[in-house]
Amino acid sequence: MRFAADRLAVGITKAASLADDLVRRFEEQIETGTMPPGARFPTEMAIVEAFGVSRPVVREAFARLSARGLLVSRRGSGAFVANGARYRAFQVTADEISEIDDVIKLLEMRMGFETEMAFLAAQRRTGSELQEMRRSLADMDASTEVDGSVAADTAFHAAIARATQNDYYLRFTDFLGVRLVPSRRVYLQDSDAATHQTYARAINADHRAIYAAIETGDAQAAREAARAHIQKSIARYRPHALVA
């Protein structure tokens, strides 16, 4: 029975891998425009013959493409590339930032976004947003565990986004959520409360420099402080990266 179960598990894994491969192939064709919106997918049988896979594998791949908004089925007509399929929402999933190297890539992407956000916040902030930033600074200083520091860190950046008075900054910041903050679980695995607090206060020192510039309305200083904050984060993570 154990042998049969193992064979079944291997079969399921292989089928999933084949479906993954099909999904990647079709996604690439859609993203490059080889299969534009409205284009008809090959029939199940055509895919079976072309790729040497089973019908269940094709159906699994189609189900995944449909779930991602890339495929629509029309009864009696077949499967088609969804309208607007090439304009899918930008995604950053938890699985994609599970390693130090991935965190560094996200930090590099954040560099331009964060610096300009701080620049605008210094020009447009109101008293309520400054109060929100001060609250998050206090929460960060008081944090002694991962979830508390992440929540405070996220709240600080959200307050800056809100201070830009630009809904797109706020919406993108909300979209990234805790992914905007480098994962403490990646960097501080198995660390004690004192280590977490020391780390949180080091991050908060950067936050205070950004806050000071925003509070005084010095947009250029806010931009530079935000850039220094991201650069320090990259430098902090890089020694732990697989590829330096």
Side-chain angles (χ1 to χ4, degrees):
M1 291 293 291
R2 175 61 181 274
F3 180 65
D6 288 345
R7 289 176 58 190
L8 177 61
V10 170
I12 292 172
T13 301
K14 182 178 180 181
S17 178
L18 291 170
D20 287 341
D21 183 58
L22 278 180
V23 169
R24 282 193 295 269
R25 287 171 182 268
F26 283 121
E27 280 187 327
E28 181 179 354
Q29 292 185 55
I30 292 168
E31 290 171 0
T32 59
T34 304
M35 289 182 66
R40 191 177 189 277
F41 279 86
T43 64
E44 286 185 9
M45 184 54 68
I47 296 173
V48 166
E49 293 175 352
F51 296 100
V53 297
S54 66
R55 281 181 178 272
V57 166
V58 177
R59 289 167 186 164
E60 171 64 19
F62 275 17
R64 294 187 197 177
L65 290 165
S66 178
R68 297 180 188 186
L70 299 176
L71 177 152
V72 291
S73 296
R74 298 173 188 165
R75 186 178 296 276
S77 299
F80 297 82
V81 178
N83 292 329
R86 293 181 63 189
Y87 308 101
R88 292 177 297 156
F90 171 71
Q91 295 289 327
V92 179
T93 67
D95 290 342
E96 290 176 306
I97 52 173
S98 60
E99 303 293 340
I100 295 290
D101 293 60
D102 303 317
V103 172
I104 290 174
K105 291 176 184 177
L106 184 59
L107 284 166
E108 290 174 345
M109 184 276 289
R110 283 177 52 194
M111 183 76 75
F113 175 79
E114 293 276 346
T115 55
E116 295 312 301
M117 189 165 73
F119 182 88
L120 291 175
Q123 296 177 321
R124 303 172 180 175
R125 82 284 183 275
T126 66
S128 62
E129 290 136 7
L130 290 173
Q131 183 178 21
E132 186 180 348
M133 290 178 211
R134 288 194 296 271
R135 186 182 305 114
S136 68
L137 291 171
D139 290 343
M140 178 74 92
D141 273 340
S143 68
T144 58
E145 42 77 36
V146 174
D147 291 339
S149 64
V150 167
D153 200 337
T154 304
F156 180 75
H157 291 284
I160 294 175
R162 193 168 289 107
T164 66
Q165 313 305 325
N166 182 327
D167 289 343
Y168 292 116
Y169 273 105
L170 182 57
R171 285 167 58 185
F172 190 64
T173 299
D174 287 344
F175 165 74
L176 287 176
V178 296
R179 293 175 182 81
L180 192 70
V181 178
S183 175
R184 307 292 195 267
R185 292 179 179 82
V186 173
Y187 183 73
L188 292 174
Q189 297 178 37
D190 304 319
S191 298
D192 57 22
T195 301
H196 281 295
Q197 190 167 48
T198 298
Y199 179 79
R201 287 178 176 172
I203 296 296
N204 223 22
D206 290 349
H207 285 182
R208 290 186 183 282
I210 298 170
Y211 171 80
I214 291 175
E215 182 185 35
T216 59
D218 190 334
Q220 186 57 38
R223 175 188 278 159
E224 292 170 359
R227 178 174 294 278
H229 175 45
I230 301 297
Q231 288 173 333
K232 287 179 184 178
S233 292
I234 292 173
R236 190 180 296 113
Y237 279 84
R238 196 170 293 285
H240 301 272
L242 297 176
V243 179

